[in-house]
Amino acid sequence: GSSGSSGQERLKITALPLYFEGFLLIKRSGYREYEHYWTELRGTTLFFYTDKKSIIYVDKLDIVDLTCLTEQNSTEKNCAKFTLVLPKEEVQLKTENTESGEEWRGFILTVTELSVPQNVSLLPGQVIKLHEVLEREKKRRIESGPSSG
């Protein structure tokens, strides 16, 4: 019974710590439609998979240079929409529900700004997670910093 979890396999490919994951609808610059991806936030990179079990990502987006994250008022009920404004492109994200929207926003801002955002409406447990991710990301940046060798 080799039921190796895809998370482990993906770690080998990306070599980055997984901070958050979930379904996201992504619309990158130049695309007309949203694409539905299982998305992982590893370090400051979003990895997009066709589904939860896929091991090879189909696309990735480095958000380390995030200029800002703008929220859009969604006309649809129970979904959050926001735009990642990057130096080279703007990427629109849409979540399946407002709660996961807040989580994505929290995690994305935490790793890009290296501080836990104050204005996210999350549960205490989720905020604790953000602080853990913040520590891990700071540590990761120190370790993967100017590599001597």
Side-chain angles (χ1 to χ4, degrees):
S2 59
S3 59
S5 82
S6 50
Q8 300 276 294
E9 295 291 316
R10 289 175 187 163
L11 183 59
K12 286 180 201 160
I13 294 169
T14 62
L16 288 166
L18 175 62
Y19 295 149
F20 191 63
E21 60 184 344
F23 282 109
L24 273 182
L25 286 142
I26 311 287
K27 192 163 85 174
R28 298 191 73 160
S29 301
Y31 287 81
R32 301 231 312 266
E33 301 291 323
Y34 279 95
E35 298 278 339
H36 193 263
Y37 292 117
W38 178 256
T39 309
E40 292 186 339
L41 175 62
R42 290 178 175 272
T44 52
T45 307
L46 291 170
F47 290 91
F48 306 122
Y49 300 87
T50 46
D51 60 54
K52 205 170 172 173
K53 294 190 178 68
S54 300
I55 288 168
I56 310 291
Y57 57 87
V58 289
D59 204 355
K60 66 174 184 171
L61 178 67
D62 194 348
I63 56 168
V64 71
D65 299 323
L66 187 71
T67 314
C68 72
L69 192 159
T70 57
E71 264 185 292
Q72 293 168 301
N73 291 335
S74 176
T75 46
E76 298 153 72
K77 273 206 173 85
N78 294 332
C79 86
K81 284 167 96 166
F82 40 90
T83 305
L84 299 177
V85 182
L86 297 154
K88 291 191 178 118
E89 66 172 329
E90 289 190 12
V91 180
Q92 292 178 322
L93 308 183
K94 195 160 78 170
T95 63
E96 294 181 311
N97 55 59
T98 44
E99 190 188 324
S100 79
E102 282 298 292
E103 288 185 284
W104 277 110
R105 211 162 66 86
F107 281 95
I108 287 170
L109 289 172
T110 298
V111 300
T112 54
E113 298 179 353
L114 283 184
S115 68
V116 174
Q118 299 300 308
N119 58 343
V120 286
S121 42
L122 293 173
L123 300 168
Q126 294 169 322
V127 175
I128 290 169
K129 253 189 193 151
L130 289 182
H131 283 282
E132 285 171 3
V133 162
L134 178 60
E135 292 313 306
R136 284 167 69 188
E137 179 59 17
K138 281 180 174 170
K139 194 163 163 253
R140 183 185 78 86
R141 291 211 195 175
I142 293 165
E143 285 168 1
S144 72
S147 49
S148 51

